[in-house]
Amino acid sequence: MGEKVVADRFDLADRQRYRQKLRKCLQGLAQLLEEKRFDRPRNLMGLEIELNLADAVGQPLMMNAEVLEHIASRDFQTELGQFNLEVNIVPHALEGRVFDQLDEELRTGLAYADRQAREVSGRIVMIGILPTLSTGDLTLANLTAVDRYTLLNDQIMASRGEEVVLDIAGVEHLTRTSASIAPEAACTSVQLHLQVTPSRFADVWNAAQLACGPQIAMGANSPFLFGHELWRESRAPLFLQATDTRPPELSAQGVRPRTWFGERWIASAYELFEENLRYFPSLLPICDDEDPQRVLAAGGTPALPELVLHNGTIYRWNRPVYGVVDGVPHLRVENRVLPAGPTVTDVLANTAFYYGLVRALADEQRPAWTRMPFADAARNFDAACRYGIDAELWWPRGGRTPGLARVPAARLVEDQLLPLAAAGLDAWGVEAADRDRYLSVIEERCRWRVNGASWQAAAYRRATDAGLDREKALAAVTRKYCELVATGEPVHTWPHGP
Protein backbone atom coordinates (compact mmCIF):
# COMPACT_ATOMS: atom_id res chain seq x y z
CA MET A 1 0.00 0.00 0.00
CA GLY A 2 3.03 2.30 -0.07
CA GLU A 3 2.57 3.00 -3.79
CA LYS A 4 0.73 6.12 -4.92
CA VAL A 5 -2.93 5.34 -5.47
CA VAL A 6 -5.15 7.85 -7.21
CA ALA A 7 -8.73 7.20 -8.28
CA ASP A 8 -11.93 9.16 -7.84
CA ARG A 9 -14.46 6.37 -8.21
CA PHE A 10 -15.01 2.87 -9.61
CA ASP A 11 -17.72 1.78 -12.01
CA LEU A 12 -19.53 -1.57 -12.10
CA ALA A 13 -17.07 -3.14 -14.54
CA ASP A 14 -13.88 -2.20 -12.70
CA ARG A 15 -13.83 -5.14 -10.30
CA GLN A 16 -14.43 -7.63 -13.09
CA ARG A 17 -11.53 -6.15 -15.08
CA TYR A 18 -9.38 -6.14 -11.99
CA ARG A 19 -10.24 -9.76 -11.20
CA GLN A 20 -9.21 -10.74 -14.72
CA LYS A 21 -5.92 -8.87 -14.32
CA LEU A 22 -5.35 -10.55 -10.95
CA ARG A 23 -5.73 -13.95 -12.59
CA LYS A 24 -3.21 -12.95 -15.25
CA CYS A 25 -0.85 -11.81 -12.51
CA LEU A 26 -1.27 -15.12 -10.71
CA GLN A 27 -0.50 -16.97 -13.95
CA GLY A 28 2.57 -14.80 -14.35
CA LEU A 29 3.70 -15.61 -10.82
CA ALA A 30 3.21 -19.32 -11.50
CA GLN A 31 5.35 -19.06 -14.64
CA LEU A 32 8.10 -17.20 -12.80
CA LEU A 33 8.11 -19.91 -10.14
CA GLU A 34 8.13 -22.71 -12.69
CA GLU A 35 11.01 -21.13 -14.62
CA LYS A 36 12.98 -20.55 -11.39
CA ARG A 37 13.45 -16.88 -12.20
CA PHE A 38 13.73 -15.69 -8.61
CA ASP A 39 16.72 -14.12 -6.92
CA ARG A 40 19.35 -16.38 -5.39
CA PRO A 41 19.62 -16.70 -1.59
CA ARG A 42 20.98 -13.45 -0.16
CA ASN A 43 20.07 -13.61 3.56
CA LEU A 44 18.59 -10.12 3.36
CA MET A 45 16.44 -8.63 6.11
CA GLY A 46 14.56 -5.35 6.25
CA LEU A 47 13.01 -3.32 9.04
CA GLU A 48 10.18 -0.79 9.20
CA ILE A 49 8.95 0.93 12.37
CA GLU A 50 5.72 2.89 12.71
CA LEU A 51 5.93 5.79 15.15
CA ASN A 52 3.66 8.09 17.12
CA LEU A 53 3.89 11.83 17.55
CA ALA A 54 3.05 13.31 20.94
CA ASP A 55 3.27 16.75 22.49
CA ALA A 56 5.18 17.69 25.62
CA VAL A 57 2.48 16.37 27.95
CA GLY A 58 2.06 13.06 26.11
CA GLN A 59 -1.05 13.84 24.07
CA PRO A 60 -1.20 12.85 20.36
CA LEU A 61 0.13 15.53 18.01
CA MET A 62 -1.58 15.78 14.59
CA MET A 63 1.38 17.26 12.74
CA ASN A 64 3.10 14.53 10.71
CA ALA A 65 3.25 16.70 7.57
CA GLU A 66 5.08 19.46 9.43
CA VAL A 67 7.44 17.01 11.14
CA LEU A 68 8.23 15.27 7.85
CA GLU A 69 8.98 18.63 6.27
CA HIS A 70 11.51 19.30 9.00
CA ILE A 71 13.01 15.78 8.79
CA ALA A 72 13.35 15.99 4.99
CA SER A 73 14.52 12.39 4.61
CA ARG A 74 13.20 9.64 2.35
CA ASP A 75 13.70 7.20 5.21
CA PHE A 76 10.67 8.73 6.96
CA GLN A 77 7.19 8.59 5.46
CA THR A 78 3.57 9.25 6.34
CA GLU A 79 1.30 6.67 7.88
CA LEU A 80 -2.47 6.49 8.24
CA GLY A 81 -3.01 9.01 11.05
CA GLN A 82 -1.70 12.55 11.25
CA PHE A 83 0.05 11.53 14.49
CA ASN A 84 1.89 8.65 12.73
CA LEU A 85 5.20 8.36 10.89
CA GLU A 86 7.12 5.38 9.54
CA VAL A 87 10.86 4.89 9.30
CA ASN A 88 12.34 2.41 6.81
CA ILE A 89 15.80 0.93 7.21
CA VAL A 90 17.64 -0.20 4.08
CA PRO A 91 18.03 -3.99 3.76
CA HIS A 92 20.95 -5.60 5.57
CA ALA A 93 22.61 -8.99 5.25
CA LEU A 94 21.91 -11.19 8.27
CA GLU A 95 25.52 -11.70 9.26
CA GLY A 96 28.36 -10.32 11.35
CA ARG A 97 27.48 -7.38 13.60
CA VAL A 98 24.21 -6.63 11.81
CA PHE A 99 22.25 -5.79 14.96
CA ASP A 100 24.89 -3.40 16.25
CA GLN A 101 24.84 -1.72 12.83
CA LEU A 102 21.06 -1.44 12.99
CA ASP A 103 21.34 -0.09 16.54
CA GLU A 104 23.56 2.76 15.39
CA GLU A 105 21.40 3.55 12.37
CA LEU A 106 18.15 3.53 14.34
CA ARG A 107 19.49 5.57 17.24
CA THR A 108 20.94 8.17 14.89
CA GLY A 109 17.84 8.35 12.70
CA LEU A 110 15.32 8.45 15.53
CA ALA A 111 17.32 11.00 17.52
CA TYR A 112 17.46 13.25 14.45
CA ALA A 113 13.71 12.81 13.83
CA ASP A 114 12.96 13.59 17.47
CA ARG A 115 15.01 16.80 17.29
CA GLN A 116 13.04 17.85 14.22
CA ALA A 117 9.75 16.98 15.93
CA ARG A 118 10.74 19.20 18.85
CA GLU A 119 10.94 22.11 16.40
CA VAL A 120 7.13 21.93 16.33
CA SER A 121 6.84 21.10 20.06
CA GLY A 122 6.51 17.36 19.46
CA ARG A 123 8.35 14.16 20.22
CA ILE A 124 8.71 10.72 18.63
CA VAL A 125 7.19 7.87 20.64
CA MET A 126 7.79 4.18 19.86
CA ILE A 127 4.83 2.39 21.43
CA GLY A 128 2.21 -0.06 20.17
CA ILE A 129 -0.76 2.18 21.04
CA LEU A 130 -0.34 5.65 22.50
CA PRO A 131 -2.14 5.41 25.89
CA THR A 132 -3.49 8.97 25.72
CA LEU A 133 -5.41 8.50 22.46
CA SER A 134 -9.11 9.29 22.70
CA THR A 135 -11.99 8.48 20.37
CA GLY A 136 -11.99 12.15 19.37
CA ASP A 137 -8.44 11.77 18.05
CA LEU A 138 -9.33 8.88 15.74
CA THR A 139 -11.69 10.48 13.27
CA LEU A 140 -11.74 10.82 9.50
CA ALA A 141 -10.53 14.41 9.81
CA ASN A 142 -7.30 13.20 11.43
CA LEU A 143 -6.33 10.77 8.67
CA THR A 144 -3.25 11.83 6.73
CA ALA A 145 -4.24 13.79 3.63
CA VAL A 146 -3.01 11.21 1.12
CA ASP A 147 -5.21 9.83 -1.67
CA ARG A 148 -4.60 6.16 -0.89
CA TYR A 149 -5.74 6.52 2.73
CA THR A 150 -8.93 8.33 1.80
CA LEU A 151 -9.71 5.83 -0.93
CA LEU A 152 -8.97 2.83 1.29
CA ASN A 153 -11.24 4.25 3.98
CA ASP A 154 -14.04 4.84 1.49
CA GLN A 155 -13.80 1.33 0.05
CA ILE A 156 -13.65 -0.47 3.40
CA MET A 157 -16.61 1.48 4.73
CA ALA A 158 -18.58 0.95 1.50
CA SER A 159 -17.85 -2.80 1.63
CA ARG A 160 -18.95 -2.99 5.24
CA GLY A 161 -22.00 -0.80 4.69
CA GLU A 162 -22.22 0.32 8.32
CA GLU A 163 -20.14 1.74 11.16
CA VAL A 164 -17.08 -0.07 12.45
CA VAL A 165 -17.82 -1.70 15.80
CA LEU A 166 -14.99 -2.06 18.30
CA ASP A 167 -15.78 -4.61 20.99
CA ILE A 168 -12.76 -5.77 23.00
CA ALA A 169 -13.15 -7.56 26.32
CA GLY A 170 -9.94 -7.75 28.32
CA VAL A 171 -9.03 -6.50 31.77
CA GLU A 172 -11.80 -3.99 31.04
CA HIS A 173 -14.45 -4.06 28.31
CA LEU A 174 -14.39 -1.46 25.54
CA THR A 175 -17.20 -0.88 23.06
CA ARG A 176 -17.11 1.94 20.53
CA THR A 177 -18.32 2.66 17.02
CA SER A 178 -16.54 4.58 14.30
CA ALA A 179 -17.69 6.02 10.99
CA SER A 180 -14.22 5.45 9.49
CA ILE A 181 -11.18 3.18 9.66
CA ALA A 182 -9.34 5.85 11.69
CA PRO A 183 -9.04 3.57 14.79
CA GLU A 184 -6.58 1.49 12.73
CA ALA A 185 -4.15 4.43 13.00
CA ALA A 186 -3.78 3.71 16.73
CA CYS A 187 -1.79 0.56 15.85
CA THR A 188 1.92 1.14 15.32
CA SER A 189 4.06 -1.87 14.57
CA VAL A 190 7.49 -3.18 13.66
CA GLN A 191 7.58 -5.00 10.33
CA LEU A 192 10.38 -7.49 9.76
CA HIS A 193 11.14 -8.59 6.20
CA LEU A 194 13.11 -11.66 5.20
CA GLN A 195 13.96 -12.35 1.56
CA VAL A 196 13.71 -16.07 0.80
CA THR A 197 13.86 -18.33 -2.23
CA PRO A 198 10.66 -20.00 -3.44
CA SER A 199 11.87 -23.43 -2.31
CA ARG A 200 12.47 -22.07 1.17
CA PHE A 201 9.39 -19.86 1.43
CA ALA A 202 6.89 -22.35 2.90
CA ASP A 203 9.25 -23.50 5.66
CA VAL A 204 10.02 -19.90 6.64
CA TRP A 205 6.36 -18.81 6.57
CA ASN A 206 5.27 -21.82 8.62
CA ALA A 207 8.07 -21.13 11.09
CA ALA A 208 7.05 -17.46 11.32
CA GLN A 209 3.46 -18.47 12.04
CA LEU A 210 4.65 -20.80 14.78
CA ALA A 211 6.81 -18.02 16.24
CA CYS A 212 3.93 -15.50 16.49
CA GLY A 213 2.80 -16.56 19.96
CA PRO A 214 6.25 -16.40 21.55
CA GLN A 215 7.00 -13.14 19.72
CA ILE A 216 3.96 -11.39 21.13
CA ALA A 217 4.39 -12.89 24.61
CA MET A 218 7.88 -11.39 24.78
CA GLY A 219 7.22 -8.13 22.93
CA ALA A 220 3.66 -7.03 23.82
CA ASN A 221 3.46 -3.25 24.26
CA SER A 222 -0.17 -2.16 23.71
CA PRO A 223 -2.28 -2.65 26.87
CA PHE A 224 -4.40 0.53 26.63
CA LEU A 225 -6.92 1.89 24.16
CA PHE A 226 -9.22 4.87 24.68
CA GLY A 227 -8.45 4.92 28.39
CA HIS A 228 -9.27 1.23 28.89
CA GLU A 229 -6.89 -1.53 29.91
CA LEU A 230 -7.63 -4.36 27.47
CA TRP A 231 -5.33 -7.07 26.10
CA ARG A 232 -1.58 -6.96 26.60
CA GLU A 233 -1.34 -6.58 22.80
CA SER A 234 -4.58 -4.77 22.00
CA ARG A 235 -3.35 -3.98 18.48
CA ALA A 236 -4.45 -7.42 17.32
CA PRO A 237 -8.19 -7.18 18.01
CA LEU A 238 -8.22 -3.46 17.21
CA PHE A 239 -6.62 -3.93 13.79
CA LEU A 240 -8.91 -6.85 12.97
CA GLN A 241 -12.05 -4.92 13.85
CA ALA A 242 -10.99 -1.56 12.38
CA THR A 243 -10.28 -3.12 8.95
CA ASP A 244 -13.18 -5.56 8.94
CA THR A 245 -15.25 -5.33 5.76
CA ARG A 246 -17.77 -7.90 7.04
CA PRO A 247 -21.10 -7.02 8.62
CA PRO A 248 -22.01 -9.41 11.46
CA GLU A 249 -24.01 -11.70 9.15
CA LEU A 250 -21.01 -12.43 6.91
CA SER A 251 -18.82 -12.96 9.94
CA ALA A 252 -21.36 -15.48 11.27
CA GLN A 253 -21.22 -17.31 7.94
CA GLY A 254 -17.48 -17.81 8.33
CA VAL A 255 -16.34 -15.24 5.75
CA ARG A 256 -12.67 -14.55 6.47
CA PRO A 257 -11.58 -11.17 7.86
CA ARG A 258 -8.98 -9.12 5.97
CA THR A 259 -6.78 -9.11 9.07
CA TRP A 260 -6.07 -12.80 9.22
CA PHE A 261 -3.81 -15.27 10.97
CA GLY A 262 -4.59 -17.93 8.37
CA GLU A 263 -6.00 -21.42 8.73
CA ARG A 264 -3.39 -23.97 7.60
CA TRP A 265 0.26 -24.71 7.08
CA ILE A 266 1.38 -24.18 3.48
CA ALA A 267 3.59 -25.97 0.96
CA SER A 268 4.38 -23.00 -1.33
CA ALA A 269 4.21 -19.22 -1.56
CA TYR A 270 1.81 -19.56 -4.49
CA GLU A 271 -0.87 -20.92 -2.15
CA LEU A 272 -1.03 -17.67 -0.19
CA PHE A 273 -1.34 -15.45 -3.25
CA GLU A 274 -3.96 -17.78 -4.69
CA GLU A 275 -5.90 -17.70 -1.40
CA ASN A 276 -5.86 -13.91 -1.52
CA LEU A 277 -7.60 -13.96 -4.90
CA ARG A 278 -10.01 -16.71 -3.95
CA TYR A 279 -11.18 -15.33 -0.61
CA PHE A 280 -10.91 -11.54 -0.72
CA PRO A 281 -12.77 -9.13 -3.02
CA SER A 282 -10.75 -6.21 -4.32
CA LEU A 283 -10.86 -2.98 -2.37
CA LEU A 284 -8.90 -0.87 -4.86
CA PRO A 285 -9.64 -2.24 -8.36
CA ILE A 286 -7.09 -0.06 -10.15
CA CYS A 287 -5.75 -1.68 -13.31
CA ASP A 288 -2.30 -1.10 -14.77
CA ASP A 289 -1.39 -1.32 -18.45
CA GLU A 290 1.10 -4.15 -17.90
CA ASP A 291 0.35 -7.48 -19.59
CA PRO A 292 2.33 -10.03 -17.52
CA GLN A 293 2.31 -12.69 -20.23
CA ARG A 294 3.56 -10.26 -22.87
CA VAL A 295 6.36 -9.09 -20.56
CA LEU A 296 7.36 -12.69 -19.85
CA ALA A 297 7.27 -13.63 -23.54
CA ALA A 298 9.67 -10.76 -24.23
CA GLY A 299 12.07 -12.07 -21.59
CA GLY A 300 11.23 -9.37 -19.05
CA THR A 301 10.11 -9.46 -15.44
CA PRO A 302 6.53 -8.33 -14.76
CA ALA A 303 5.85 -6.07 -11.80
CA LEU A 304 2.44 -7.76 -11.27
CA PRO A 305 1.00 -4.44 -10.00
CA GLU A 306 -2.56 -5.65 -9.43
CA LEU A 307 -1.40 -8.64 -7.40
CA VAL A 308 0.93 -6.41 -5.34
CA LEU A 309 -1.81 -3.85 -4.68
CA HIS A 310 -4.39 -6.48 -3.76
CA ASN A 311 -1.88 -8.20 -1.46
CA GLY A 312 -1.35 -4.89 0.34
CA THR A 313 -5.02 -4.73 1.34
CA ILE A 314 -4.99 -8.15 3.05
CA TYR A 315 -3.42 -7.90 6.47
CA ARG A 316 -1.94 -11.30 7.21
CA TRP A 317 0.22 -11.27 10.33
CA ASN A 318 2.87 -12.94 8.16
CA ARG A 319 2.34 -11.55 4.67
CA PRO A 320 3.85 -12.90 1.44
CA VAL A 321 5.50 -10.15 -0.61
CA TYR A 322 6.47 -10.15 -4.28
CA GLY A 323 8.98 -7.54 -5.43
CA VAL A 324 11.33 -6.75 -8.30
CA VAL A 325 14.77 -5.16 -7.85
CA ASP A 326 17.02 -4.43 -10.83
CA GLY A 327 14.81 -6.58 -13.03
CA VAL A 328 15.06 -9.66 -10.77
CA PRO A 329 11.97 -10.89 -8.86
CA HIS A 330 12.15 -11.95 -5.24
CA LEU A 331 9.86 -13.16 -2.44
CA ARG A 332 9.78 -11.96 1.15
CA VAL A 333 8.02 -12.95 4.33
CA GLU A 334 6.81 -9.78 6.05
CA ASN A 335 6.31 -10.35 9.78
CA ARG A 336 3.77 -7.80 11.09
CA VAL A 337 3.21 -9.16 14.59
CA LEU A 338 5.30 -6.91 16.83
CA PRO A 339 4.33 -3.54 18.28
CA ALA A 340 6.75 -0.63 18.12
CA GLY A 341 9.09 0.06 21.05
CA PRO A 342 9.82 0.52 23.80
CA THR A 343 13.51 1.29 23.07
CA VAL A 344 15.85 0.62 20.15
CA THR A 345 17.47 -2.10 22.26
CA ASP A 346 14.10 -3.74 22.85
CA VAL A 347 13.16 -3.55 19.17
CA LEU A 348 16.45 -5.17 18.16
CA ALA A 349 16.14 -7.83 20.83
CA ASN A 350 12.73 -8.72 19.38
CA THR A 351 14.28 -8.66 15.91
CA ALA A 352 17.17 -10.95 16.81
CA PHE A 353 14.83 -13.36 18.58
CA TYR A 354 12.55 -13.53 15.53
CA TYR A 355 15.23 -14.06 12.89
CA GLY A 356 17.09 -16.59 14.99
CA LEU A 357 13.99 -18.55 15.96
CA VAL A 358 12.57 -18.63 12.44
CA ARG A 359 15.86 -19.86 11.00
CA ALA A 360 16.16 -22.63 13.58
CA LEU A 361 12.53 -23.75 13.25
CA ALA A 362 12.75 -23.75 9.44
CA ASP A 363 15.96 -25.79 9.55
CA GLU A 364 14.63 -28.57 11.78
CA GLN A 365 14.62 -32.01 10.18
CA ARG A 366 11.28 -32.72 11.80
CA PRO A 367 9.70 -29.26 11.86
CA ALA A 368 7.59 -28.33 14.83
CA TRP A 369 4.61 -27.48 12.60
CA THR A 370 4.44 -31.08 11.43
CA ARG A 371 3.84 -32.01 15.09
CA MET A 372 1.38 -29.26 15.92
CA PRO A 373 -2.07 -28.45 14.51
CA PHE A 374 -2.30 -25.04 12.89
CA ALA A 375 -5.24 -24.21 15.17
CA ASP A 376 -2.90 -24.41 18.16
CA ALA A 377 -0.53 -21.87 16.61
CA ALA A 378 -3.54 -19.56 16.18
CA ARG A 379 -4.57 -20.28 19.76
CA ASN A 380 -1.06 -19.35 20.94
CA PHE A 381 -1.25 -16.05 19.04
CA ASP A 382 -4.56 -15.22 20.69
CA ALA A 383 -3.36 -16.18 24.18
CA ALA A 384 -0.15 -14.16 23.82
CA CYS A 385 -2.09 -11.09 22.65
CA ARG A 386 -4.45 -11.41 25.63
CA TYR A 387 -1.97 -12.17 28.39
CA GLY A 388 1.46 -11.16 27.08
CA ILE A 389 4.38 -12.46 29.06
CA ASP A 390 1.98 -14.21 31.47
CA ALA A 391 0.43 -16.31 28.67
CA GLU A 392 0.56 -20.08 28.54
CA LEU A 393 1.37 -21.54 25.12
CA TRP A 394 1.01 -24.95 23.52
CA TRP A 395 4.20 -26.47 22.12
CA PRO A 396 5.32 -29.90 20.86
CA ARG A 397 6.81 -32.09 23.56
CA GLY A 398 10.52 -32.73 23.29
CA GLY A 399 12.23 -35.86 22.03
CA ARG A 400 10.07 -38.73 20.85
CA THR A 401 7.19 -37.89 23.19
CA PRO A 402 4.09 -37.23 21.08
CA GLY A 403 1.55 -34.49 21.63
CA LEU A 404 1.63 -30.96 22.96
CA ALA A 405 2.37 -29.48 26.37
CA ARG A 406 0.90 -26.27 27.77
CA VAL A 407 3.82 -24.21 29.08
CA PRO A 408 4.16 -20.72 30.59
CA ALA A 409 5.48 -18.52 27.78
CA ALA A 410 8.43 -17.21 29.78
CA ARG A 411 9.55 -20.74 30.65
CA LEU A 412 9.07 -21.97 27.09
CA VAL A 413 11.16 -19.12 25.70
CA GLU A 414 13.88 -19.30 28.33
CA ASP A 415 14.28 -23.09 28.32
CA GLN A 416 13.59 -24.04 24.69
CA LEU A 417 13.27 -21.15 22.28
CA LEU A 418 16.20 -18.95 23.24
CA PRO A 419 18.68 -21.79 22.60
CA LEU A 420 16.95 -22.32 19.23
CA ALA A 421 17.18 -18.61 18.43
CA ALA A 422 20.88 -18.60 19.33
CA ALA A 423 21.50 -21.55 17.02
CA GLY A 424 19.54 -19.81 14.28
CA LEU A 425 21.61 -16.64 14.56
CA ASP A 426 24.75 -18.77 14.42
CA ALA A 427 23.43 -20.35 11.23
CA TRP A 428 22.93 -16.88 9.72
CA GLY A 429 26.53 -16.03 10.58
CA VAL A 430 25.72 -13.39 13.20
CA GLU A 431 28.67 -12.77 15.51
CA ALA A 432 28.43 -14.20 19.01
CA ALA A 433 28.71 -10.79 20.69
CA ASP A 434 25.71 -9.50 18.74
CA ARG A 435 23.77 -12.69 19.38
CA ASP A 436 24.38 -12.67 23.12
CA ARG A 437 23.79 -8.96 23.62
CA TYR A 438 20.29 -8.95 22.18
CA LEU A 439 19.07 -12.41 23.19
CA SER A 440 20.11 -11.63 26.77
CA VAL A 441 17.44 -8.90 26.76
CA ILE A 442 14.79 -11.54 25.99
CA GLU A 443 16.26 -13.78 28.68
CA GLU A 444 16.01 -10.99 31.27
CA ARG A 445 12.40 -10.29 30.31
CA CYS A 446 11.64 -13.94 30.99
CA ARG A 447 13.46 -13.82 34.32
CA TRP A 448 11.71 -10.66 35.55
CA ARG A 449 8.39 -11.27 33.72
CA VAL A 450 8.52 -7.71 32.32
CA ASN A 451 7.88 -6.35 28.85
CA GLY A 452 6.47 -3.05 27.59
CA ALA A 453 2.85 -4.00 28.24
CA SER A 454 3.43 -5.25 31.78
CA TRP A 455 5.48 -2.12 32.59
CA GLN A 456 2.72 0.18 31.32
CA ALA A 457 0.04 -1.68 33.26
CA ALA A 458 2.06 -1.67 36.50
CA ALA A 459 2.93 2.03 36.12
CA TYR A 460 -0.73 2.86 35.51
CA ARG A 461 -1.85 1.00 38.65
CA ARG A 462 0.73 2.85 40.74
CA ALA A 463 -0.45 6.16 39.33
CA THR A 464 -4.09 5.44 40.14
CA ASP A 465 -3.15 4.11 43.56
CA ALA A 466 -1.43 7.47 44.13
CA GLY A 467 -4.75 9.22 43.52
CA LEU A 468 -4.59 10.21 39.86
CA ASP A 469 -7.75 9.78 37.80
CA ARG A 470 -7.69 7.61 34.69
CA GLU A 471 -6.85 10.34 32.20
CA LYS A 472 -4.10 11.92 34.29
CA ALA A 473 -2.64 8.51 35.15
CA LEU A 474 -2.34 7.53 31.48
CA ALA A 475 -0.74 10.87 30.66
CA ALA A 476 1.74 10.39 33.52
CA VAL A 477 2.56 6.89 32.30
CA THR A 478 3.15 8.21 28.77
CA ARG A 479 5.46 10.98 29.97
CA LYS A 480 7.44 8.57 32.15
CA TYR A 481 7.63 6.09 29.28
CA CYS A 482 9.11 8.79 27.02
CA GLU A 483 11.58 9.80 29.72
CA LEU A 484 12.78 6.20 30.17
CA VAL A 485 12.97 5.53 26.43
CA ALA A 486 15.39 8.47 26.22
CA THR A 487 17.80 6.63 28.54
CA GLY A 488 18.10 3.83 25.98
CA GLU A 489 17.90 1.18 28.70
CA PRO A 490 15.69 -1.83 27.88
CA VAL A 491 12.25 -2.00 29.48
CA HIS A 492 12.96 -4.84 31.90
CA THR A 493 15.34 -2.50 33.78
CA TRP A 494 12.82 0.33 34.21
CA PRO A 495 11.35 1.40 37.57
CA HIS A 496 7.57 1.05 37.69
CA GLY A 497 6.52 4.36 39.16
CA PRO A 498 5.13 7.13 36.90
Side-chain angles (χ1 to χ4, degrees):
M1 277 302 296
E3 300 300 320
K4 184 171 176 60
V5 174
V6 180
D8 293 329
R9 60 184 298 274
F10 303 115
D11 63 36
L12 293 177
D14 284 334
R15 281 184 169 78
Q16 292 176 329
R17 284 194 295 267
Y18 190 77
R19 189 178 294 115
Q20 291 168 358
K21 283 297 299 286
L22 279 173
R23 288 170 180 159
K24 288 186 176 181
C25 286
L26 194 62
Q27 292 168 6
L29 177 66
Q31 185 173 337
L32 287 165
L33 290 166
E34 184 178 352
E35 294 176 358
K36 301 186 183 338
R37 293 271 301 275
F38 283 83
D39 200 1
R40 67 190 187 283
R42 298 178 66 187
N43 296 351
L44 283 180
M45 57 84 71
L47 177 64
E48 304 170 37
I49 307 176
E50 295 167 348
L51 307 165
N52 288 282
L53 291 173
D55 63 19
V57 295
Q59 298 297 319
L61 183 68
M62 306 295 172
M63 295 183 68
N64 65 356
E66 293 86 345
V67 173
L68 282 171
E69 186 176 347
H70 279 79
I71 293 174
S73 168
R74 292 182 181 179
D75 293 341
F76 289 83
Q77 301 172 2
T78 60
E79 253 299 331
L80 182 61
Q82 291 183 28
F83 61 97
N84 299 145
L85 299 176
E86 180 177 87
V87 60
N88 297 281
I89 302 301
V90 296
H92 284 62
L94 261 169
E95 61 187 19
R97 300 300 296 270
V98 60
F99 298 113
D100 271 354
Q101 293 165 17
L102 288 167
D103 182 279
E104 182 177 354
E105 290 176 31
L106 278 172
R107 288 181 191 276
T108 301
L110 291 173
Y112 170 73
D114 192 60
R115 289 196 299 273
Q116 301 311 307
R118 290 177 187 273
E119 293 292 318
V120 293
S121 302
R123 60 175 63 173
I124 302 290
V125 186
M126 279 201 303
I127 196 167
I129 297 175
L130 195 64
T132 51
L133 280 170
S134 69
T135 51
D137 296 318
L138 294 175
T139 63
L140 187 60
N142 285 333
L143 293 186
T144 300
V146 173
D147 291 330
R148 68 178 181 269
Y149 300 139
T150 302
L151 187 58
L152 184 64
N153 174 78
D154 292 347
Q155 293 301 302
I156 287 179
M157 297 310 297
S159 296
R160 184 177 175 85
E162 58 189 80
E163 288 186 320
V164 169
V165 176
L166 303 179
D167 188 342
I168 306 172
V171 177
E172 299 176 288
H173 191 178
L174 171 73
T175 57
R176 292 287 189 280
T177 60
S178 173
S180 73
I181 65 168
E184 178 194 337
C187 306
T188 48
S189 65
V190 172
Q191 292 143 33
L192 302 175
H193 291 254
L194 180 60
Q195 184 175 325
V196 293
T197 59
S199 62
R200 183 75 163 160
F201 186 96
D203 285 347
V204 171
W205 188 87
N206 290 338
Q209 291 287 98
L210 196 61
C212 280
Q215 274 186 281
I216 285 290
M218 293 297 103
N221 196 29
S222 313
F224 295 104
L225 175 64
F226 300 153
H228 288 66
E229 186 178 353
L230 301 172
W231 294 15
R232 286 301 181 250
E233 192 49 46
S234 304
R235 282 172 47 255
L238 173 59
F239 204 97
L240 185 153
Q241 294 175 19
T243 60
D244 204 345
T245 57
R246 308 168 302 166
E249 295 81 4
L250 291 184
S251 178
Q253 292 173 36
V255 172
R256 295 158 180 84
R258 297 189 86 92
T259 298
W260 195 34
F261 187 81
E263 59 193 18
R264 63 189 176 89
W265 307 118
I266 64 165
S268 73
Y270 180 88
E271 294 175 25
L272 297 179
F273 289 103
E274 190 276 332
E275 274 186 349
N276 287 352
L277 271 65
R278 179 156 38 103
Y279 293 147
F280 299 104
S282 63
L283 286 179
L284 303 172
I286 301 169
C287 290
D288 190 86
D289 293 333
E290 179 185 86
D291 183 330
Q293 280 66 42
R294 186 173 297 173
V295 173
L296 285 163
T301 301
L304 307 182
E306 291 84 9
L307 182 141
V308 170
L309 178 60
H310 185 58
N311 190 57
T313 66
I314 299 156
Y315 306 104
R316 294 178 183 270
W317 293 108
N318 284 295
R319 177 190 276 167
V321 178
Y322 170 87
V324 180
V325 176
D326 297 329
V328 181
H330 68 265
L331 293 172
R332 302 194 304 275
V333 174
E334 180 190 14
N335 178 263
R336 304 164 51 82
V337 168
L338 291 167
T343 66
V344 169
T345 299
D346 288 303
V347 167
L348 292 177
N350 294 339
T351 301
F353 180 58
Y354 168 74
Y355 285 118
L357 182 58
V358 163
R359 174 65 186 260
L361 291 173
D363 282 353
E364 286 183 319
Q365 290 189 345
R366 190 176 171 224
W369 61 85
T370 65
R371 297 176 281 135
M372 181 171 174
F374 188 91
D376 287 311
R379 181 163 54 159
N380 282 350
F381 176 70
D382 184 79
C385 289
R386 287 177 183 271
Y387 305 113
I389 205 161
D390 295 321
E392 293 187 343
L393 306 179
W394 294 93
W395 204 259
R397 298 180 188 276
R400 298 182 178 276
T401 307
L404 305 178
R406 189 177 182 183
V407 187
R411 194 172 83 205
L412 172 68
V413 170
E414 190 170 14
D415 293 350
Q416 298 185 51
L417 303 189
L418 276 173
L420 280 176
L425 292 177
D426 289 344
W428 285 121
V430 172
E431 287 193 17
D434 241 25
R435 176 199 68 200
D436 295 344
R437 176 185 176 188
Y438 293 101
L439 291 187
S440 69
V441 173
I442 305 295
E443 183 178 16
E444 290 300 303
R445 287 188 207 157
C446 293
R447 183 170 299 165
W448 295 104
R449 302 295 195 270
V450 173
N451 60 14
S454 66
W455 182 89
Q456 288 186 58
Y460 171 74
R461 284 192 293 274
R462 292 201 179 191
T464 55
D465 289 346
L468 294 181
D469 64 25
R470 183 182 296 253
E471 184 176 334
K472 290 179 180 177
L474 288 170
V477 169
T478 304
R479 291 193 298 272
K480 187 65 175 180
Y481 180 99
C482 292
E483 177 187 320
L484 292 169
V485 165
T487 70
E489 295 300 319
V491 70
H492 70 268
T493 67
W494 292 3
H496 286 308

